[in-house]
Amino acid sequence: MMNASKTEYRILVVEDNPGDFALVEDFIFEQIESPIIIQVKTFKEAEEILIKTGPVYTVVLLDLSLPDRAGEALIYEMVKLCRNIPVIVLTGYTDFAFGVKSLSLGASDYLLKEDLTSISLYKSIIYSSERKRIISALEESEKRVRSFANQLNNALEEERARISREIHDEFGQHLSGLKMSLSSLKKSNNGNHELETLISALVADVNISIESVRQIANELRPVLIDKLGLIAAIEWLVAEFEKKTGISSYLEADTDQLVMDEMPEINIFRICQEALTNITKHANATSVKIQIKNTDGQLFIKIIDNGSGIKSKTLHNPLSMGLLNMKERANLIDAKLNINSSSQNGTIIELILDTNGKKNINSRRSFRN
């Protein structure tokens, strides 16, 4: 017997052939000290015991031909049932393609019974259980990172909203007061033409400053999102984009009401904002279209341009900040982000979000093309 780890090994063997089970059992005892081995002969029995006991098993050894289930369907159902328990497939079939297929379905390993030895089985059990442990640890670590990123993103948006309010309310009010004072001074002017001209110029400068303050406040946190909802905010974004860049831009929306939480609204808006910023910097586009469809509990948003496309090295560069920002924001709201780009057809960025079960915060504005 090899000097196996003192970790307790609980092994569920799903095998209906007595001879094959006896061989597997002998191999396990040959390499592992005092393992706990449980045998079941059908998928139904395996299902019942796994539901009853939970994830207490180190591995599941699965024969591919059971009385009540076999083949791909058996692997799929067993992997789904086992969740974090590695599933090692044991089979008499020598089909290499099927072995690869079983791994793609989630099996940890694929062993041929005719080539099975105590060493190969032991290695598979050890490697599979350790790999699953590492993957589970990585997944848990990723969850913590995602949670932190979400909290950081929320804090950032709250800070942006606070700064936006202060800029709009405080600085904007001061400028409005200055404008009123200048207007009052102009009215009390005793016919001094030069002074009147100077005051008019100052009022014009103040008007420009007031508009700049509103613009900065809106870019930090568009007030339209809070007052009128996502559709209105994206409509404003598209209009401002066209005004600034001269690129022909328009919005197509087949919905006049969206039902979702506040954070998805903000992140969707930021993704659209980032996409339009990237188009301005890199695409050399002459037209941009944003399509919004709300169908069967899913929200589809496409941002389409006719530009020069995104270079392959940029598209696949994990450190490309604009694309990374969009992908991370999509992850934060459990959305899918697909990017298709070519030098001939431009770029299509598609965001897909499941809106079922979201909090009922409507877009609060009726919008139609």
Side-chain angles (χ1 to χ4, degrees):
M1 179 185 297
M2 293 185 65
N3 186 22
S5 169
K6 292 183 179 180
T7 302
E8 181 181 68
Y9 285 86
R10 298 176 65 89
I11 301 171
L12 179 64
V13 182
V14 189
E15 173 65 74
D16 64 322
N17 185 303
D20 287 346
F21 171 72
L23 182 64
V24 167
E25 187 178 36
D26 286 344
F27 283 161
I28 293 172
F29 274 107
E30 188 176 328
Q31 301 297 332
I32 298 175
E33 183 178 354
S34 304
I36 299 172
I37 303 173
I38 305 296
Q39 181 196 14
V40 293
K41 298 180 180 180
T42 66
F43 173 78
K44 183 65 176 176
E45 290 177 2
E47 183 179 38
E48 290 174 353
I49 197 170
L50 286 167
I51 291 174
K52 181 179 179 180
T53 60
V56 298
Y57 292 97
T58 309
V59 294
V60 172
L61 304 181
L62 177 66
D63 177 44
L64 266 191
S65 182
L66 299 176
D68 57 346
R69 201 71 57 93
E72 286 186 26
L74 174 58
I75 297 174
Y76 176 80
E77 292 296 333
M78 186 60 73
V79 168
K80 182 180 177 182
L81 182 64
C82 287
R83 302 174 74 175
N84 289 328
I85 305 173
V87 177
I88 300 173
V89 172
L90 303 177
T91 180
Y93 300 113
T94 58
D95 186 343
F96 178 77
F98 186 83
V100 173
K101 178 69 174 178
S102 69
L103 297 177
S104 70
L105 291 172
S108 295
D109 205 351
Y110 182 91
L111 302 177
L112 298 178
K113 288 182 178 180
E114 64 180 34
D115 297 331
L116 196 64
T117 65
S118 63
I119 296 294
S120 65
L121 181 59
Y122 172 70
K123 284 183 176 180
S124 182
I125 291 172
I126 296 298
Y127 292 164
S128 295
S129 59
E130 186 64 15
R131 189 187 309 119
K132 203 70 175 182
R133 185 191 66 79
I134 293 171
I135 290 173
S136 296
L138 287 173
E139 288 175 348
E140 187 60 34
S141 177
E142 185 178 3
K143 285 180 182 178
R144 289 196 296 269
V145 170
R146 293 290 180 202
S147 176
F148 175 74
N150 191 39
Q151 293 175 33
L152 185 62
N153 180 64
N154 292 345
L156 177 61
E157 289 298 339
E158 288 174 3
E159 184 64 10
R160 280 179 168 176
R162 184 189 66 80
I163 295 172
S164 176
R165 285 193 301 270
E166 289 189 2
I167 289 175
H168 184 274
D169 295 344
E170 298 295 328
F171 193 30
Q173 286 179 10
H174 287 316
L175 287 173
S176 296
L178 178 60
K179 180 180 176 181
M180 292 174 64
S181 297
L182 287 170
S183 297
S184 177
L185 180 61
K186 184 176 180 180
K187 289 179 182 180
S188 64
N189 178 37
N190 295 321
N192 187 328
H193 180 70
E194 290 183 0
L195 181 58
E196 184 175 337
T197 302
L198 177 59
I199 293 172
S200 295
L202 290 173
V203 169
D205 288 341
V206 170
N207 284 334
I208 293 173
S209 297
I210 289 173
E211 183 59 31
S212 296
V213 166
R214 288 174 179 168
Q215 184 74 21
I216 293 169
N218 263 322
E219 288 181 356
L220 281 169
R221 170 74 177 212
V223 68
L224 287 173
I225 288 184
D226 298 318
K227 291 186 176 180
L228 301 177
L230 181 62
I231 297 294
I234 293 178
E235 184 186 8
W236 169 83
L237 182 65
V238 170
E240 288 296 307
F241 175 79
E242 185 174 55
K243 185 192 302 183
K244 287 181 179 179
T245 64
I247 298 173
S248 176
S249 310
Y250 58 102
L251 171 67
E252 292 180 356
D254 72 348
T255 178
D256 59 4
Q257 187 181 62
L258 294 176
V259 180
M260 64 177 62
D261 294 334
E262 181 183 7
M263 277 301 108
E265 280 190 328
I266 290 293
N267 281 289
I268 289 170
F269 179 84
R270 296 299 183 200
I271 289 170
C272 293
Q273 192 176 45
E274 184 66 46
L276 293 179
T277 299
N278 288 341
I279 291 170
T280 303
K281 291 180 179 179
H282 309 296
N284 298 315
T286 59
S287 72
V288 173
K289 176 169 62 176
I290 295 183
Q291 296 177 333
I292 301 176
K293 295 182 179 180
N294 191 23
T295 307
D296 298 328
Q298 284 193 311
L299 181 66
F300 297 86
I301 298 178
K302 283 187 179 181
I303 305 162
I304 306 166
D305 72 65
N306 66 345
S308 55
I310 304 172
K311 293 181 180 179
S312 180
K313 65 178 182 180
T314 301
L315 190 60
H316 298 97
N317 182 1
L319 299 179
S320 178
M321 293 307 298
L323 299 179
L324 180 62
N325 184 36
M326 287 191 288
K327 290 175 181 176
E328 285 303 310
R329 286 189 177 277
N331 285 331
L332 287 175
I333 58 175
D334 295 323
K336 295 179 182 178
L337 185 73
N338 302 317
I339 302 176
N340 295 303
S341 185
S342 72
S343 57
Q344 294 80 24
N345 301 316
T347 301
I348 299 176
I349 298 173
E350 182 180 39
L351 184 73
I352 305 172
L353 174 67
D354 184 2
T355 58
N356 284 324
K358 302 296 182 182
K359 187 177 177 181
N360 191 353
I361 300 179
N362 297 329
S363 64
R364 299 169 291 274
R365 178 178 187 268
S366 177
F367 170 80
R368 290 184 175 85
N369 290 303

